[in-house]
Amino acid sequence: MTGILLINLGTPDAPTPEAVGRYLREFLMDPFVIDSPNPLRWFLVNVLIVPKRKYQSAAAYQKVQMPGGSPLLVHTRALREKVAAELERENYVVEYAMRYGNPSIASALAKLNAQNVSRTIVLPLYPQYAESSFETAVVETKKRAAELGSVDRLMFLSPFYDRPEFIDAFARKVSDHLANEPADHVLFSFHSLPEKHLTKLHPQHCLRTANCCDQITGSNRNCYRAQCFFTAKAIAHQVGLAPEGYTVSFQSRLGRAKWIGPTTEPTLRDLASRGVKRVAVASPSFVADCLETLEEIAIRARETFVSAGGEDLHLIPSLNSDPFWVEAVVKWLAAAADSR
């Protein structure tokens, strides 16, 4: 029996300040997320950030909450169900987990071990590599598996920012949306990261020149920003967008540190000032719609664009449990299983 574990970032148990506070503390106390010394990180999280932000975030979660829970939870659960259905005639058991919140990685691994799996193939659902997403999921999974005595049975799939199946699935979403909702311009908005998360991995290369992220090379192969540009360029090429027909930006900044850019909101204001009236926004760092797409982009970014003189902004839905995305995931898992 082969175990499959799909891992996404996480979500509060409920859209309440108390639940959001618990989630934020778990998330932000991860040294992969805020890499300050532990006493300073504790002060930043528990004194400066969470007491205020838990109310703001709870209000935002309430705007997008679905009957089955938060959108990220609902869509990740649906993906698991559809992947499991595709593999039901094979010797697989499929679980999903959240790096922060529930269901936890520990609980998902315990379920897989209870099924006497001989190995577990782990797919972190992050297209691009970052220590604060992919790496922390790997480290946590290994830690919890070691506690269960099953760490030697783990196999991890790599970030898939350049895999044809991912590019094709997202390009289909963009093309289908534009066919129904024509736009003057497409914005590819990725989650941002503090610059130091990049520069510490590639100190001699990252952000040294204006075009350092234009190509993937041996010097920046794990650079999140370069991978984002690769993803956007590949999707745009497949959709048939001209270089002047799309822009790449980065969203979801937090705190006063310097984050990678260009930033999404100023980019939208600039597009409006240039006479762009209708914008479609895709977020290919998220494979499931979540707070960052449904509230930050579809609601707040739209308000920013319209107030700056634009007429309308539409969010292009993420992959969620789209059949082509399910097909891609199943293909990767089956190939990984066959490789061992």
Side-chain angles (χ1 to χ4, degrees):
M1 182 78 73
T2 296
I4 302 295
L5 179 58
L6 308 175
I7 301 178
N8 220 323
L9 185 70
T11 185
D13 292 327
T16 64
E18 294 75 20
V20 171
R22 288 195 301 271
Y23 169 74
L24 288 176
R25 281 189 289 272
E26 182 183 3
F27 171 49
L28 297 174
M29 282 301 296
D30 183 349
F32 283 111
V33 176
I34 297 181
D35 57 356
S36 302
N38 190 61
L40 175 58
R41 184 170 63 253
W42 188 95
F43 179 80
L44 290 172
V45 171
N46 291 282
V47 177
L48 297 183
I49 300 175
V50 172
K52 179 179 180 180
R53 193 172 181 86
K54 66 181 181 180
Y55 293 101
Q56 298 171 338
S57 294
Y61 273 106
Q62 290 165 15
K63 295 178 183 178
V64 300
Q65 191 78 353
M66 301 172 71
S70 76
L72 183 71
L73 179 69
V74 170
H75 293 309
T76 304
R77 185 168 57 219
L79 177 65
R80 187 217 71 86
E81 292 170 354
K82 292 184 179 181
V83 168
E86 289 294 317
L87 295 172
E88 66 179 353
R89 289 181 294 276
E90 307 294 337
N91 207 23
Y92 294 92
V93 56
V94 184
E95 294 292 342
Y96 75 102
M98 299 294 173
R99 171 60 184 90
Y100 314 102
N102 295 303
S104 68
I105 290 174
S107 67
L109 287 172
K111 286 183 179 180
L112 292 172
N113 283 6
Q115 295 289 320
N116 295 318
V117 299
S118 58
R119 58 181 173 171
T120 296
I121 301 171
V122 184
L123 175 58
L125 294 168
Y126 313 113
Q128 298 83 23
Y129 176 85
E131 286 191 336
S132 55
S133 55
F134 182 88
E135 192 65 29
T136 186
V138 171
V139 169
E140 177 71 6
T141 304
K142 289 181 178 179
K143 177 182 177 181
R144 299 307 175 188
E147 294 171 352
L148 296 170
S150 59
V151 69
D152 58 332
R153 304 177 208 163
L154 298 177
M155 175 184 182
F156 292 90
L157 272 62
S158 301
F160 43 86
Y161 72 97
D162 60 344
R163 298 197 68 161
E165 297 85 359
F166 167 66
I167 299 299
D168 179 65
F170 226 111
R172 287 174 181 268
K173 298 293 288 189
V174 174
S175 294
D176 290 348
H177 181 89
L178 294 178
N180 294 312
E181 294 284 351
D184 303 324
H185 198 84
V186 175
L187 181 65
F188 292 100
S189 181
F190 294 83
H191 199 291
S192 191
L193 288 177
E195 285 191 358
K196 65 178 180 178
H197 282 206
L198 275 63
T199 55
K200 72 179 181 181
L201 295 179
H202 306 286
Q204 304 304 317
H205 180 85
C206 271
L207 306 177
R208 293 285 182 172
T209 63
N211 61 351
C212 66
C213 293
D214 287 355
Q215 302 289 332
I216 301 292
T217 68
S219 299
N220 68 352
R221 62 186 179 278
N222 279 334
C223 175
Y224 173 81
R225 188 171 183 267
Q227 291 183 359
C228 290
F229 276 100
F230 183 100
T231 297
K233 185 176 181 179
I235 294 172
H237 176 77
Q238 189 148 331
V239 173
L241 298 176
E244 65 273 13
Y246 73 95
T247 302
V248 176
S249 66
F250 296 86
Q251 64 181 89
S252 309
R253 297 162 59 92
L254 174 66
R256 298 179 181 179
K258 192 173 183 181
W259 288 56
I260 60 175
T263 305
T264 294
E265 288 200 356
T267 299
L268 286 170
R269 286 192 287 267
D270 178 64
L271 288 171
S273 72
R274 288 157 43 194
V276 174
K277 295 302 182 184
R278 296 176 61 83
V279 169
V281 182
S283 297
S285 53
F286 306 100
V287 298
D289 279 313
C290 53
L291 186 73
E292 288 80 0
T293 63
L294 298 172
E295 194 275 336
E296 186 176 353
I297 296 297
I299 298 176
R300 283 192 283 135
R302 182 181 184 278
E303 292 172 352
T304 295
F305 181 65
V306 172
S307 67
E311 290 182 359
D312 209 354
L313 180 152
H314 286 276
L315 172 70
I316 299 174
S318 192
L319 297 175
N320 297 325
S321 58
D322 179 88
F324 289 102
W325 176 227
V326 173
E327 181 182 339
V329 170
V330 169
K331 178 180 178 180
W332 297 343
L333 294 172
D338 290 342
S339 68
R340 294 185 65 180

